[in-house]
Amino acid sequence: MNDSPAENFHSLLKKFDQGMLVTRSADGQIRSRPMQIAGCDADSDLWFVTTKETGKVTDIDNDSHVCVALRDGRTFLSLSGKARVVTDQTKLDELWSEAWRVWFPDGKEDPNLVLIHIDATEGEYWDQSGLKGLKYLFKAGKAYLAGQRPELDEESHSKVQL
């Protein structure tokens, strides 16, 4: 592996198009909902599109700390950061996908649409796909036989500051 853990995290993150946005409500309850990823910046910040009158916007107004959990096959990512609600028609035009009209029938001109920007601060990944998965299975089997836990390398697991 030639990439740093942060570069590896970002490379994995760009492959995802959906994630679970986790917020905290005013009464302290943890909420999670599936979200389509609208954009991923070079620094691993994420963008989502929603409407103003949703629970997630209320939650973010109350507590901006969020987590986005992502899974695809044997690859898992967790991204933590601070969210903010953004009204920016130029950015919305840049990110817009016509497929989203299913959720937003009035299109990108809907005055109730807002963006959620996640300023990523920390990430963690577990990647056991492809050859990494085979290497992990070998390590796991070896550790099992020895009565130990498998050691993971930075290619398959790492925490990163973003």
Side-chain angles (χ1 to χ4, degrees):
M1 177 178 89
N2 295 331
D3 292 338
S4 72
E7 291 168 328
N8 197 29
F9 178 86
H10 183 71
S11 178
L12 292 168
L13 179 62
K14 290 189 313 184
K15 295 177 184 178
F16 286 89
D17 59 1
Q18 299 175 36
M20 295 293 289
L21 175 63
V22 182
T23 60
R24 182 184 311 270
S25 66
D27 65 0
Q29 295 297 310
I30 302 296
R31 303 274 191 255
S32 178
R33 71 264 296 156
M35 297 287 292
Q36 187 76 28
I37 296 172
C40 177
D41 294 344
D43 57 1
S44 296
D45 286 3
L46 292 179
W47 293 88
F48 299 103
V49 177
T50 192
T51 55
K52 293 176 188 175
E53 305 298 324
T54 63
K56 61 189 142 301
V57 168
T58 302
D59 290 353
I60 290 167
D61 286 343
N62 178 63
D63 183 347
S64 64
H65 294 89
V66 298
C67 178
V68 180
L70 308 112
R71 176 187 181 257
D72 182 28
R74 297 188 52 82
T75 303
F76 304 83
L77 276 78
S78 175
L79 181 144
S80 297
K82 294 189 85 175
R84 62 186 170 92
V85 177
V86 177
T87 305
D88 181 339
Q89 189 63 45
T90 302
K91 187 68 176 179
L92 180 60
D93 291 343
E94 173 191 324
L95 296 172
W96 180 257
S97 170
E98 193 58 29
W100 299 340
R101 198 173 283 274
V102 170
W103 297 289
F104 313 114
D106 294 332
K108 62 184 178 179
E109 286 77 25
D110 183 338
N112 291 313
L113 285 183
V114 293
L115 298 166
I116 295 175
H117 176 252
I118 310 295
D119 180 16
T121 56
E122 184 175 81
E124 188 167 6
Y125 62 87
W126 300 263
D127 184 14
Q128 298 164 2
S129 62
L131 288 177
K132 289 178 279 238
L134 292 175
K135 286 185 348 188
Y136 170 76
L137 288 175
F138 176 75
K139 287 179 180 180
K142 189 175 167 182
Y144 173 78
L145 291 173
Q148 301 172 346
R149 291 184 179 191
E151 299 256 343
L152 299 179
D153 56 31
E154 286 184 343
E155 187 177 17
S156 60
H157 175 253
S158 190
K159 292 182 183 179
V160 297
Q161 296 301 310
L162 302 170

